[in-house]
Every structure is written in C-alpha cells, then in structure tokens.
C-alpha cells in the first residue's frame, strides 16, 4: 500500500481546484465528481498522452467516438442486460444496501454492526436505464389513478399532470453505456469498409461510461460516472498470445509515462472463476493506491465473443477478408481497458511528496512535466512596482503563446507563491526582479525548479527553449 494518505490527496484536490464532489452546493450526489480548472487540465494531459502513445504514434490504430446512447440490442447481444450485475445484499436491521463481494465479513453489516442480517445476494444490474424520445406504452397515454413518473412512483405535486408521464414503451428503453467498448465493436465493420486496414489493427476510444455502482467510494476510484480509454485490438486467432504479450509491455510503458514507479504496479492473472464471461485471459494491472492494492486497468483477451454476437444478432457479417486471398474469418480481440479516474488517482498518489525546505515541511506534487496542469508560473517580484509588472507581463505573454498552460501569480510574497505552485505541481516558476531591469544581468530572469528548489538565471531570449528542454 502507498504511504500517502487518501485524505491528503482529497483535501489538496479540493482546496487547489482539481476535483470537487459532484453537485456539492446541493449536498452532493454520491459517486459523482466535478473537475475544477486544474483537474480538467490534468485529465486532458493524461488523455492526450494516451492518444499520442496509442493512436497518433502508431500506424495500426484508428480513433473513433461513438454515441453514448445506443440501440438496446447492443446491450442485449453483449450480455450486459442479463449479466452486468453485482451481488447486492440488504441489511434487515438498518436497510443498508451493500455489495456482497466487497464485504470484509460476509455475516456482519459494516454500517450498523449487526450480525446475520443479510439474506441471499440478489443480482443488481449496474446499467442506468433511460428512455429515448416521447414514447409511451402502446403509443398513447392511458391514465391509471394518480400520475406516475418514469419509475412508476406516484407524483404528488403534479407537474407530471402536464406531461402525462406514464409507463414507457419497452422499445424506447436505452442505457447509458457502462463501457465504451461496445461503441467500438459496433463500428468495426464501418471502419473496415472505409479503410480496409491490415490485420492486426486497433480501434481506440475515449469517453464517459456510467455504472450504477452499489457502493461508490474511495474518492474517484469507484464512481458512477467515469471516463474510459479503451482499445479493441483485432488479431488473427492464431496470433492472440503473441499480441497479448506485446500489450503487457505497452501497459507497463504507459504506467511509466504516467510517472508511476515500476514497483507499485502488479500484474494479477485473473483465475477462471473470476474472469468476465467473455474473457479467455485477463490480467488486472493493480497499483498501490492509498486505499490498498487495487485495479488500475485491465487487459483481456475477448476472443471473437463480441463480433460473433453482433454477427449473430444483426445478421451482418463481421468477417475480415485477408488481402492475400486466404479465407475470411471473424477476428479475435485483445482489449486494454484504461480508466481515466484511476489513472489520475494513481498519478496524484505517485506525485504526492513531502520534504523539508529551509527547516519547514512542504508537500508538493512531483508530477512529470508533460502532465503538470500548469507548466510555468510567472511572477513579478513585487506587484506594486509597475516596471517589474510590465516586464513580467511581457515574459508571461511570450510563454503563454508558446505553452498555453502558463499561470500569472502575483499573490502574496514570493515564498508563498512557490509553495502554492509546488502544491499544484508546477515545474518552473519564473520571477522578474530588479536584476531583470538593469546591470550585468539585464534581460534575464530567475527560474526556480519545483523538485530541487534551485534557482537558475536565464536570459529572456533563451527562456522558451530552456523551459521546453529543461
Ligand atoms: P472493479 O472490479 O474495480 O469494479 P471492473 O473489473 O468492473 O472494475 P472493468 O469492467 O474491467 O472494471 O473496467 C475497465 C476499467 O474501467 C477499470 O480497470 C477501471 O480503470 C475503470 N473503471 C471501472 N469501473 C469504474 C468505476 N466505477 N469508477 C472508475 N473507474 C472505473
């Protein structure tokens, strides 16, 4: 387990504008999180790094962005409607609803402490159900007693009267996607028809996924709305083992690019009984989170399960016709499935560092430079000296044009500014002081480094190059 405390990360994330509880002002909504300015920047940097590494830098990968709402047949064919469930138990004493397979003691309710209050677990489907269009049962509205809402609950103060919200046509049912993968599989044929790529090739997608988790917890680790970055890599069935091995290596390279220490990543070979129904081999890549060793991402060999299902249910061929004229076949699939929130939580955990500077303790984020939400902060030494401010503004504008994520910081004394920038992981602070304006050092600035706290004098002309390569 990491020796970083979860509460330190949660508190820094909120205080410094990375991550806030969702709907906070109304008391929150369990399992949802909002990203503040620095959180968005960090998230995007992780997503862009992923896209560069797995799509842009390769010849065999294609990006797609499918709709979140999909035809319900997708989720019937994939098995999600029947089997995307977690075991739910309810305590007969306090009525807490809990996930049976995550209980420390299966006989004791962790909420009220009573023993023997759980019945048999029920299979709880985690998909969020919704209805598409103004579509009602039988196409017309039939009122029975009081108006009801979409879930069949009576509506007291009846706005529903106006809309006549009644039971919905089952054909209008849809789901918020619980994984991005199905949007890739359903576009397999489209991409083959448009591009006819050589096999093996992959389709990559980033986007929201939704799961009505029974017990969302541990900060963003288990959320009800989260973001996935998934790849379906299509291979000849004879090649899957060799390709799977390559993906193991690539996953480690990804973790390295996130700045996660190699000894904090662990491969868990998932046994026959625990694997998802579609998988013939799965490795869970676990990370030493503050909450313990838990799944960061998964790598699964999904065989031809999904394309086979689509072919059967849609009656459309999902076969790939090799260019050398050998017989057509339904490709098999290797799926690396990355969760963005877990990547972000791992990055924050690995980066959170405490040390001592001038006999004072400091905590800071030792983020890899390419992930830092702010690359450079620019400050005039004193904010009430117009000549310093004017010069600092010039330097700020030049850096901003080049790097974008540059922050102007003239709040408080210089020591406080350094601390604040350290805490959000800004690798460099540029300070414009009196030496910038005159004497031998004219037109040079101080660059202060986050990790070492060392300061270097750099000519303004050379600053952009220096920051780019430092
Ligand atoms: P777990 O066993 O922790 O519930 P899972 O095995 O169901 O996860 P997958 O279906 O393999 O997860 O999803 C792929 C990835 O999506 C996970 O490795 C994780 O990074 C991410 N993920 C899944 N569920 C959540 C969630 N509720 N909140 C945040 N990320 C999630």
């Amino acid at each position: 387990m990491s020796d970083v405390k979860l509460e330190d990360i949660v508190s820094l994330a909120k205080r410094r504008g990375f991550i806030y509880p969702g709907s906070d002002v109304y008391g929150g909504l369990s399992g949802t999180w909002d990203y503040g300015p620095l959180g968005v920047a960090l998230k995007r940097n992780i997503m862009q790094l992923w896209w560069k590494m797995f799509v842009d830098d390769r010849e065999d990968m294609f990006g797609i962005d499918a709709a979140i709402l999909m035809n319900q047949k997708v989720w019937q064919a994939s098995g999600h409607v029947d089997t995307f469930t977690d075991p739910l138990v309810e305590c007969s004493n306090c009525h807490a609803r809990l996930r049976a397979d995550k209980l420390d003691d299966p006989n004791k309710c962790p909420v009220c402490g009573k023993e023997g209050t759980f019945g048999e677990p029920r299979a709880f489907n985690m998909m969020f159900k919704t209805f598409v269009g103004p579509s009602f049962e039988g196409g017309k509205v039939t009122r029975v007693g009081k108006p009801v809402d979409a879930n069949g609950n009576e509506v007291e103060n009846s706005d529903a009267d106006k809309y006549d919200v009644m039971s919905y046509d089952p054909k209008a049912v849809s789901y918020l996607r619980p994984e991005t993968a199905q949007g890739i599989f359903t576009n397999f044929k489209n991409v083959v028809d448009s591009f006819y790529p050589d096999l093996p090739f992959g389709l990559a997608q980033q986007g929201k996924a939704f799961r009505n988790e029974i017990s969302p917890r541990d900060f963003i680790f288990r959320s009800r709305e989260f973001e996935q970055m998934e790849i379906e890599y299509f291979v000849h069935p004879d090649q899957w083992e060799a390709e799977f091995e390559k993906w193991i290596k690539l996953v480690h390279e990804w973790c390295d690019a996130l700045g996660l220490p190699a000894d904090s990543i662990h491969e868990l070979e998932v046994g026959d009984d625990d694997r998802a129904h579609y998988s013939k081999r799965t490795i869970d890549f676990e990370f030493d989170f503050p909450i313990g060793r838990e799944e960061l991402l998964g790598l699964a060999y999904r065989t031809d399960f999904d394309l086979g299902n689509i072919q059967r249910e849609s009656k459309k061929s999902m076969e790939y016709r090799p260019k050398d004229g050998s017989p057509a076949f339904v490709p098999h699939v290797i799926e690396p499935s990355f969760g963005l929130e877990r990547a972000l939580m791992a990055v924050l955990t690995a980066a959170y560092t405490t040390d001592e500077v001038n006999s004072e303790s400091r905590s800071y984020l030792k983020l890899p430079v390419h992930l830092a939400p702010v690359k450079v902060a620019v400050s005039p030494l004193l904010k009430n000296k117009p000549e310093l401010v004017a010069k600092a503004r010039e330097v700020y504008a030049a850096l901003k044009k080049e790097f974008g994520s540059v922050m102007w910081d003239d709040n408080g004394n210089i020591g406080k500014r350094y601390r604040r920038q350290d805490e959000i992981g800004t690798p460099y602070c540029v300070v414009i002081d009196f030496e910038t304006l005159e004497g031998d050092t004219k037109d040079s600035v101080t660059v202060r480094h986050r990790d070492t706290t060392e300061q270097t004098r750099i000519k303004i002309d050379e600053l952009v190059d220096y920051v780019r390569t430092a």
Side-chain angles (χ1 to χ4, degrees):
M1 193 198 290
S2 160
D3 49 15
V4 174
K5 290 199 193 70
L6 184 62
E7 63 257 34
D8 288 340
I9 292 186
V10 176
S11 128
L12 185 148
K14 179 159 189 201
R15 197 162 19 97
R16 292 292 181 212
F18 284 84
I19 305 169
Y20 310 112
S23 314
D24 204 13
V25 56
Y26 287 112
L29 177 67
S30 171
T32 65
W33 297 90
D34 295 343
Y35 287 77
L38 298 184
V40 175
L42 179 53
K43 226 164 110 156
R44 277 176 181 240
N45 289 345
I46 294 174
M47 292 172 95
Q48 277 165 9
L49 178 69
W50 187 91
W51 198 266
K52 176 166 168 21
M53 201 164 156
F54 293 120
V55 183
D56 288 346
D57 286 356
R58 298 177 59 126
E59 286 180 30
D60 57 347
M61 296 287 271
F62 298 79
I64 68 159
D65 186 16
I68 288 176
L69 292 172
M70 302 176 84
N71 190 310
Q72 55 175 264
K73 287 183 187 158
V74 169
W75 307 110
Q76 288 156 2
S78 66
H80 282 82
V81 171
D82 290 333
T83 61
F84 194 63
T85 58
D86 272 343
L88 170 77
V89 284
E90 180 165 347
C91 169
S92 60
N93 181 49
C94 72
H95 299 289
R97 290 180 174 176
L98 302 156
R99 198 169 138 179
D101 60 335
K102 295 278 176 191
L103 294 170
D104 290 336
D105 177 348
N107 276 319
K108 190 170 170 190
C109 174
V111 179
C112 68
K114 272 221 158 188
E115 289 192 19
T117 55
F118 297 137
E120 276 297 299
R122 281 189 288 145
F124 174 75
N125 195 301
M126 288 192 288
M127 284 198 292
F128 283 98
K129 203 176 197 174
T130 187
F131 305 91
V132 178
S135 161
F136 305 100
E137 182 85 82
K140 64 177 188 277
V141 175
T142 44
R143 173 159 313 161
V144 190
K146 280 192 170 179
V148 291
D149 65 16
N151 297 318
N153 302 316
E154 283 187 358
V155 183
E156 276 302 329
N157 160 6
S158 175
D159 255 2
D161 246 351
K162 287 185 207 143
Y163 306 110
D164 290 318
V165 180
M166 306 299 287
S167 59
Y168 279 84
D169 182 348
K171 289 198 289 301
V173 167
S174 184
Y175 305 90
L176 301 187
R177 67 182 178 201
E179 59 172 33
T180 58
Q182 292 306 320
I184 299 182
F185 290 122
T186 48
N187 280 290
F188 165 76
K189 199 66 187 161
N190 286 337
V191 177
V192 170
D193 288 348
S194 307
F195 296 90
Y196 201 3
D198 289 326
L199 217 66
F201 74 90
L203 296 182
Q205 175 166 229
Q206 300 180 329
K208 292 271 187 178
F210 303 82
R211 296 184 186 179
N212 200 1
E213 296 278 357
I214 294 170
S215 327
R217 59 177 167 182
D218 298 327
F219 192 33
I220 54 175
F221 181 85
R222 190 171 298 288
S223 314
R224 289 188 168 133
E225 174 178 341
F226 55 98
E227 210 127 5
Q228 288 187 318
M229 305 183 287
E230 293 196 298
I231 293 163
E232 306 305 328
Y233 198 68
F234 300 97
V235 301
H236 188 281
D238 293 346
Q239 294 297 312
W240 82 264
E241 273 153 317
E243 296 299 335
F244 196 93
E245 292 304 318
K246 287 187 200 161
W247 277 104
I248 295 176
K249 283 209 185 76
L250 287 168
V251 166
H252 284 292
E253 283 175 27
W254 163 248
C255 294
D256 192 44
L258 289 182
L260 311 182
D263 61 3
S264 65
I265 307 290
H266 312 276
E267 290 178 22
L268 176 77
E269 189 78 48
V270 181
D272 292 350
D273 294 343
D274 294 330
R275 272 199 309 271
H277 57 282
Y278 51 72
S279 171
K280 279 254 176 75
R281 185 179 179 196
T282 296
I283 296 180
D284 284 350
F285 287 80
E286 299 187 317
F287 175 75
D288 293 322
F289 286 101
I291 53 172
R293 185 176 293 184
E294 293 284 352
E295 178 177 333
L296 171 67
L297 62 100
L299 177 63
Y301 167 43
R302 283 177 91 127
T303 69
D304 58 353
F305 176 82
D306 300 273
L307 290 184
N309 284 341
I310 294 175
Q311 179 163 270
R312 195 182 57 247
E313 297 301 321
S314 70
K315 315 241 175 336
K316 299 205 173 87
S317 168
M318 292 295 130
E319 286 190 329
Y320 178 85
R321 205 164 23 83
K323 290 175 184 165
D324 64 6
S326 50
F329 60 93
V330 176
H332 282 217
V333 166
I334 291 163
E335 177 194 72
S337 176
F338 304 77
L340 179 57
E341 282 70 10
R342 292 190 191 178
L344 201 149
M345 189 160 146
V347 164
L348 289 176
T349 304
Y352 191 88
T353 311
T354 47
D355 65 0
E356 220 168 75
V357 176
N358 304 331
S359 333
E360 268 185 44
S361 77
R362 125 179 126 141
S363 58
Y364 69 105
L365 291 181
K366 201 172 179 173
L367 291 170
V369 174
H370 56 274
L371 294 184
V374 177
K375 296 273 175 284
V376 196
V378 180
S379 291
L381 181 64
L382 300 170
K383 73 172 175 185
N384 57 359
K385 297 281 174 210
E387 60 280 28
L388 283 182
V389 173
K391 194 74 196 165
R393 278 278 167 201
E394 261 177 46
V395 172
Y396 169 75
L399 288 171
K400 183 109 184 128
K401 187 158 166 258
E402 194 64 30
F403 300 108
S405 50
V406 178
M407 190 183 268
W408 175 262
D409 192 354
D410 60 4
N411 234 331
N413 67 38
I414 199 75
K416 286 217 174 93
R417 290 180 215 165
Y418 286 156
R419 277 309 142 79
R420 198 164 46 235
Q421 296 299 333
D422 289 348
E423 226 189 350
I424 63 172
T426 307
Y428 313 109
C429 289
V430 170
V431 178
I432 287 73
D433 52 23
F434 293 106
E435 292 175 44
T436 310
L437 303 179
E438 59 199 11
D440 297 346
T441 52
K442 191 164 184 293
D443 291 327
S444 68
V445 294
T446 302
V447 179
R448 187 261 193 187
H449 295 245
R450 175 194 68 198
D451 299 348
T452 58
T453 73
E454 269 166 20
Q455 304 189 9
T456 325
R457 199 89 207 162
I458 302 289
K459 286 211 165 327
I460 291 175
D461 286 352
E462 294 163 11
L463 191 55
V464 165
D465 277 349
Y466 181 82
V467 169
R468 192 182 293 121
T469 53

